[in-house]
Amino acid sequence: RAAVLGANDGLVSNFSLVMGITGGTSDPGIIILAGLAGLLAGAFSMAAGEYVSMRAQRDRYEYLLEMERGELEEFPEEEREELVLIYQAKGLTKVEAETVADRIMRDPEIALDTMAREELGLNPNQLGSPRGAAASSFVAFAAGAFVPVLPHTVAEGDLAFALSGILSILALFAVGSLLSVLSGKRVLRGGLRMLLIGVVAATLTFGLG
C-alpha cells in the first residue's frame, strides 16, 4: 500500500507539473527539465519525510520498550500482576492466568516481548525500517512521476502532449484500481475517483500555464 500510494503521489504531482509547463511552453527541453526536476524534488521530499517519520516512530517505540524493560527489572511482581489481569480479560481463570504469567516471567526477554505485545500493542521484531521506508518511497514516487515525462523524451509537440496525457490517465486509473483492490473496495469506483482527481489537478495547472 505504501508503495502504491507513493507511486500515486508521484504520478498526480508530476502529471500536474508537466501539464502546467506544457501549457506555458512547447519547448521539449524545458518540459523534460521541469519534469525531471519535479521527479527528483518530489522523490527526495517523500524519502526524507518517510525517513524522519519512521525514525521518530521507531525512536518512540524503542523508548517505550526500554521503559517496559526497566519496569520488569524493578517491579517484577507488579508486571506479573498486569499479565495476570491481561490473561483474565482474555477469558482465562485466575489460576490459569497466574500459571501462564509465572511461566512467562521466568525469561526476561520473553516477558518483555509479551508485555510489548499485550500492553503496548507492539511487535518488537517489526518496529519498521527508516531507511527501507525512505528507499521504497523514493523509488515508488520516482516511478509514478516518470510516467508523464516519458513521452516527452521520445516525441515532441502535440504527439508528446497526447501520449503524456493518455499514459498518465491509464496509470491513474490503474493505481486507483489497485488501491481499491488492496482496500477491498470496488475497482471501477476507485479507478475513476483517482482518475478524476488527477485530471482535475492537471487541467487546473495546464490552465495556469
Side-chain angles (χ1 to χ4, degrees):
R1 182 185 295 272
V4 175
L5 287 172
N8 178 68
D9 286 346
L11 178 59
V12 172
S13 63
N14 229 34
F15 181 34
S16 301
L17 175 62
V18 169
M19 288 296 106
I21 298 299
T22 304
T25 179
S26 59
D27 187 328
I30 294 177
I31 295 172
I32 293 172
L33 174 61
L36 292 179
L39 182 156
L40 286 174
F44 276 115
S45 177
M46 281 285 292
E50 281 295 321
Y51 181 85
V52 171
S53 175
M54 184 67 75
R55 182 71 266 173
Q57 176 179 282
R58 188 181 177 95
D59 288 344
R60 174 63 178 168
Y61 289 164
E62 289 174 347
Y63 172 71
L64 291 175
L65 286 173
E66 284 305 309
M67 284 186 61
E68 193 63 41
R69 186 188 298 277
E71 290 175 0
L72 282 166
E73 292 175 354
E74 294 183 37
F75 312 107
E77 281 303 315
E78 287 80 352
E79 294 298 298
R80 175 187 174 279
E81 287 303 314
E82 284 187 37
L83 276 177
V84 171
L85 292 174
I86 287 171
Y87 286 119
Q88 280 187 282
K90 290 179 179 290
L92 274 65
T93 65
K94 185 175 183 180
V95 173
E96 291 171 333
E98 288 177 340
T99 301
V100 173
D102 288 338
R103 180 71 60 86
I104 289 172
M105 292 298 291
R106 291 176 188 173
D107 188 320
E109 291 304 315
I110 293 178
L112 177 61
D113 184 87
T114 303
M115 293 301 292
R117 295 171 189 272
E118 300 291 354
E119 185 178 8
L120 303 177
L122 298 178
N123 182 346
N125 300 319
Q126 296 180 0
L127 299 183
S129 168
R131 291 182 180 179
S136 62
S137 295
F138 184 96
V139 172
F141 185 98
F146 189 64
V147 172
V149 180
L150 178 61
H152 292 279
T153 65
V154 297
E156 296 183 10
D158 292 341
L159 177 59
F161 176 79
L163 288 175
S164 180
I166 291 171
L167 281 178
S168 297
I169 285 172
L170 291 174
L172 282 167
F173 184 83
V175 170
S177 298
L178 183 54
L179 281 171
S180 294
V181 170
L182 294 174
S183 304
K185 304 294 182 180
R186 293 181 180 177
V187 174
L188 182 61
R189 182 178 180 181
L192 291 175
R193 178 175 57 194
M194 193 58 64
L195 176 60
L196 178 62
I197 293 171
V199 168
V200 168
T203 301
L204 289 174
T205 53
F206 178 79
L208 178 63

